[in-house]
Amino acid sequence: MSNECYCLDPLLISSIVVYHIRHFDLIWNRFLSYLMAALPLLLLSFSAISQQYQVGFLAVRGEAHSQAQWAPTLALLNQRFSDHEFVGRHLTQQQLDEALSQQQLDFVVTNPVHFMLNHGQALNWLASYLDSHYGQARASVAGTLWVRADRPITKPEQLRGHTVGAVHEQAFGGFLLVAEQLRRRQILLSELKVTFQGYPLDKLVYDLQQGALDVAILPSCLLEDMASEGLLKQEDFRALMVEASSPCVRSTPLYPGWSFASVGNIEEPLLREITQALLSFELAGRAQWGASVRLDEVAQLLMDWQLGPEPKPLAHWALLQQFIEQHWPWLAGFIALLLGHLLYHSRVAVLLHRRTKECEQLYHQVQQKEQALAQARQRTLMGEMATGLAHELNQPLSAIQAYAQAGELMQDPVKHQAAFSHIVEETERGAAIIRRFRQWATQALPSAAPFELADLCQELIVRIRPRADALAVQLALDLTPGTLLSIRPAIEQILNNLLSNALDAHERRLQVKPTHQGWIRVTLSQLAAEQEQSGWQLIIEDNAGGIDDGIISTLQHNLPASHYHGMGIGLLVSHRLALRLQGQLSLSNTEQGTQARLVIKESE
């Protein structure tokens, strides 16, 4: 055997090394590409790993009862969110507060006061529990004051000096609500021997039953539930301050019920899904949770009891000092402006007070002047009454005297009887004058009402026509139909007086001139549109020779009663009534006689 030496070519060796290096790079790059492709799946798988949430329940009747009560809600959450786990922790109020402060809970189910007092833990109310007794969340919590039925206590005022048991000083449905009602009845807690027994509530009921407590403050429906569970007899107890009938005996009004709240910063999508799940949850055909309710009444109750977190200050002294240093010129100007405004306001107040006193003095002076003016008007009215009455009664009295003297001289019984008939007529005429005068002086005008003025004129013409025919006086009418809003009796009296005066003038004219052919023309028309007020104009004309210019001047100047001498009570009354109706009566002489113009405006 020969010894052969096998030597490798260096070039070959280098080629082999380069080949393996390149092959290794390919393998490594492919591994990295596979790893990057699988990384999202790995992340998704890690995110899909079940997350555990701690749910704290306030166990008012002990852990076993709380587990049975809230087991359906926990089962719903675990079933609906299978990728998460919801674990229930049933705690007393003190344990629940400690767990919240140590951030050991993700959700909490508690009463409204506990919810309000823990706003510092960033609680977010998701839904409100629908109580099985009241079927609602807005009004489902109340408190009841119970005593043993064999005790002589029947009124809350008898509680002073007795031992009163409650579960906790911040228990909403038990202590706070009942204590508030006692305070409103002027029963102070310092007058009672209040003792807080702690949870569970069942122990408080048993202490009352065994006589360890005189009175117990319990949530409404608790005693009824224990009686239905066979733990006691409800007839062994008596409630005080019983409110109106409801499913459970209660001593207070109803307040909002329990809530399901989240703690801290939990993802918004999860909170929304949990809320939807709770709102749609039904058990035995009855909804278990409803929309969250407002807590205005609970907040007011806490304010009355001075509970709740202290309000944070709006600003620190350092920030306030810095602000003053930076803006002191503006602040000084504002303060100066404010002081100037206050000084000006004070000056205005002083001047106003002074002007007020002056106005009061002027007011008293005006009242005195008005009283003096009223007395002067009364005296003027009395003068008008006396003057008019004396003048108007003078005619019938003179006629009575003449007829009486003629009757004494007559021997014929027929003429004698006629004279006495004229005396009776003149007597009735005088009585009519007095009645008309008294009506004008004493009676108030009636209310304004719409009426047909043309119809009124027609009625008056029909009324005076017999007398006009006897005097051979022709009556002419030119009437525009229309409605007037005024006082019809007053208008009727004015027109009647004017027509009667015209006939009287014709009668006097006939005595002077027997061949006189008289006429009276009545014209009724509506006021022109350019007048300030709507109304009517009525003109009564005659050819009886006119009247004295002094009477016309007297009416135009509205003079006192002494200037009405010779006018007669009829014309005086007509003028006064026209003024009271906010109208105007004017007289003027024409070529043949007299024209009376009456302007009547619509009443307001």
Side-chain angles (χ1 to χ4, degrees):
M1 178 180 294
S2 60
N3 295 326
E4 298 181 355
C5 180
Y6 297 94
C7 297
L8 296 175
D9 187 6
L11 182 59
L12 179 61
I13 295 174
S14 62
S15 300
I16 295 173
V17 172
V18 170
Y19 171 79
H20 284 286
I21 291 174
R22 290 179 177 177
H23 188 66
F24 178 79
D25 290 338
L26 292 174
I27 295 174
W28 176 253
N29 290 335
R30 183 171 298 176
F31 173 77
L32 290 178
S33 64
Y34 289 156
L35 181 61
M36 294 300 295
L39 184 60
L41 297 177
L42 292 175
L43 293 177
L44 290 176
S45 63
F46 282 119
S47 64
I49 295 177
S50 175
Q51 182 174 355
Q52 188 179 86
Y53 292 103
Q54 300 290 324
V55 183
F57 296 92
L58 179 59
V60 295
R61 292 189 60 187
E63 183 175 358
H65 186 275
S66 181
Q67 287 178 353
Q69 181 180 5
W70 302 113
T73 301
L74 276 178
L76 167 72
L77 296 177
N78 286 312
Q79 180 181 1
R80 183 68 63 88
F81 305 96
S82 58
D83 52 344
H84 301 294
E85 181 182 5
F86 293 85
V87 179
R89 297 181 59 182
H90 305 273
L91 311 171
T92 64
Q93 188 159 343
Q94 182 178 358
Q95 294 172 345
L96 197 60
D97 291 336
E98 293 177 355
L100 286 172
S101 63
Q102 297 175 7
Q103 300 181 355
Q104 297 177 357
L105 300 177
D106 301 297
F107 299 93
V108 63
V109 178
T110 184
N111 60 53
V113 165
H114 201 207
F115 175 85
M116 297 287 291
L117 295 179
N118 284 276
H119 275 315
Q121 304 295 334
L123 299 183
N124 181 24
W125 194 326
L126 302 181
S128 298
Y129 181 66
L130 301 179
D131 185 80
S132 59
H133 297 282
Y134 297 97
Q136 57 179 337
R138 186 184 62 84
S140 60
V141 173
T144 310
L145 194 61
W146 290 99
V147 299
R148 287 174 49 179
D150 57 354
R151 297 300 302 271
I153 301 175
T154 58
K155 298 180 181 180
E157 288 75 15
Q158 298 174 335
L159 297 178
R160 293 182 174 90
H162 288 81
T163 303
V164 180
V167 65
H168 195 274
E169 59 186 2
Q170 293 183 3
F172 178 53
F175 175 69
L176 289 180
L177 295 183
V178 175
E180 174 65 16
Q181 297 302 314
L182 291 175
R183 184 172 65 176
R184 294 182 181 181
R185 291 174 175 261
Q186 307 299 323
I187 301 175
L188 303 179
L189 296 180
S190 58
E191 300 175 328
L192 310 177
K193 298 179 181 179
V194 181
T195 174
F196 298 103
Q197 303 291 333
Y199 294 97
L201 285 168
D202 296 29
K203 179 179 180 300
L204 195 64
V205 179
Y206 294 141
D207 289 344
L208 176 64
Q209 186 181 33
Q210 296 172 5
L213 298 173
D214 298 326
V215 186
I217 300 177
L218 302 172
S220 65
C221 301
L222 174 63
L223 206 67
E224 289 85 346
D225 291 343
M226 295 182 67
S228 64
E229 296 169 4
L231 301 178
L232 49 82
K233 295 181 180 180
Q234 186 175 349
E235 55 268 19
D236 294 339
F237 303 90
R238 179 175 60 251
L240 304 181
M241 301 188 305
V242 178
E243 291 279 336
S245 60
S246 61
C248 299
V249 180
R250 54 187 175 88
S251 304
T252 70
L254 290 168
Y255 283 83
W258 286 41
S259 66
F260 190 104
S262 65
V263 184
N265 298 321
I266 300 178
E267 297 83 357
E268 182 67 24
L270 179 60
L271 294 181
R272 185 166 56 251
E273 293 178 5
I274 291 177
T275 303
Q276 294 175 354
L278 292 175
L279 294 178
S280 61
F281 178 43
E282 292 186 359
L283 187 64
R286 187 182 67 85
Q288 299 295 304
W289 296 90
S292 58
V293 296
R294 297 174 56 181
L295 297 178
D296 298 346
E297 298 173 315
V298 179
Q300 183 62 43
L301 183 69
L302 294 180
M303 290 176 60
D304 294 340
W305 282 90
Q306 298 181 355
L307 297 175
E310 294 293 332
K312 297 181 180 179
L314 297 179
H316 298 289
W317 276 106
L319 295 177
L320 181 59
Q321 183 178 2
Q322 182 181 2
F323 178 79
I324 294 175
E325 291 177 355
Q326 292 179 355
H327 304 283
W328 70 267
W330 294 98
L331 293 176
F334 175 75
I335 293 175
L337 182 63
L338 182 61
L339 290 177
H341 177 73
L342 292 177
L343 291 176
Y344 175 76
H345 178 73
S346 301
R347 182 175 180 274
V348 170
V350 172
L351 293 177
L352 180 61
H353 180 68
R354 186 182 304 170
R355 296 292 187 272
T356 303
K357 292 185 65 178
E358 294 177 356
C359 290
E360 290 179 353
Q361 295 176 357
L362 291 176
Y363 176 73
H364 291 306
Q365 294 178 3
V366 169
Q367 281 188 328
Q368 294 175 359
K369 296 295 183 182
E370 288 182 350
Q371 292 177 359
L373 181 59
Q375 294 175 0
R377 287 175 178 173
Q378 187 175 7
R379 289 194 295 268
T380 301
L381 179 61
M382 294 299 295
E384 293 176 357
M385 292 168 59
T387 302
L389 186 60
H391 173 73
E392 194 70 17
L393 289 178
N394 185 48
Q395 295 180 5
L397 290 176
S398 300
I400 291 173
Q401 182 181 6
Y403 285 126
Q405 293 175 351
E408 291 178 351
L409 301 176
M410 293 178 183
Q411 299 298 328
D412 187 358
V414 177
K415 294 182 180 181
H416 192 271
Q417 182 66 29
F420 278 103
S421 298
H422 287 298
I423 291 175
V424 173
E425 292 177 358
E426 293 300 327
T427 304
E428 292 178 353
R429 179 183 172 188
I433 291 173
I434 295 176
R435 286 196 301 271
R436 186 173 56 187
F437 183 78
R438 292 177 60 185
Q439 181 180 7
W440 167 71
T442 59
Q443 294 185 0
L445 292 177
S447 302
F451 65 94
E452 290 290 335
L453 187 55
D455 293 345
L456 176 59
C457 294
Q458 292 281 5
E459 293 177 7
L460 294 177
I461 293 299
V462 172
R463 191 181 305 170
I464 69 170
R465 186 173 295 279
R467 185 181 175 192
D469 293 341
L471 298 174
V473 175
Q474 298 295 325
L475 301 176
L477 299 178
D478 183 9
L479 306 178
T480 301
T483 302
L484 171 65
L485 178 62
S486 186
I487 302 174
R488 191 182 191 277
I491 302 296
E492 180 180 356
Q493 187 170 3
I494 294 173
L495 299 183
N496 184 64
N497 291 338
L498 294 177
L499 293 173
S500 297
N501 288 342
L503 289 176
D504 292 340
H506 280 295
E507 187 174 0
R508 291 192 297 269
R509 184 71 170 174
L510 286 171
Q511 292 175 1
V512 177
K513 185 179 179 182
T515 60
H516 170 68
Q517 295 181 355
W519 53 263
I520 298 176
R521 184 183 300 115
V522 180
T523 305
L524 176 64
S525 62
Q526 199 165 12
L527 290 176
E530 59 269 11
Q531 298 289 338
E532 294 181 358
Q533 284 183 306
S534 60
W536 293 82
Q537 174 180 266
L538 192 140
I539 298 176
I540 299 177
E541 297 177 288
D542 60 58
N543 62 340
I547 62 174
D548 187 4
D549 293 336
I551 297 178
I552 298 176
S553 177
T554 301
L555 288 179
Q556 289 177 350
H557 295 86
N558 192 20
L559 296 176
S562 60
H563 292 77
Y564 282 89
H565 181 69
M567 290 177 56
I569 191 66
L571 190 56
L572 173 61
V573 170
S574 300
H575 183 230
R576 286 297 184 184
L577 283 178
L579 293 178
R580 293 176 69 181
L581 295 175
Q582 305 300 320
Q584 183 180 2
L585 174 62
S586 59
L587 298 178
S588 62
N589 286 325
T590 62
E591 294 181 358
Q592 297 178 338
T594 306
Q595 181 188 81
R597 181 175 179 268
L598 176 64
V599 175
I600 310 169
K601 297 183 179 181
E602 296 279 357
S603 299
E604 297 181 355

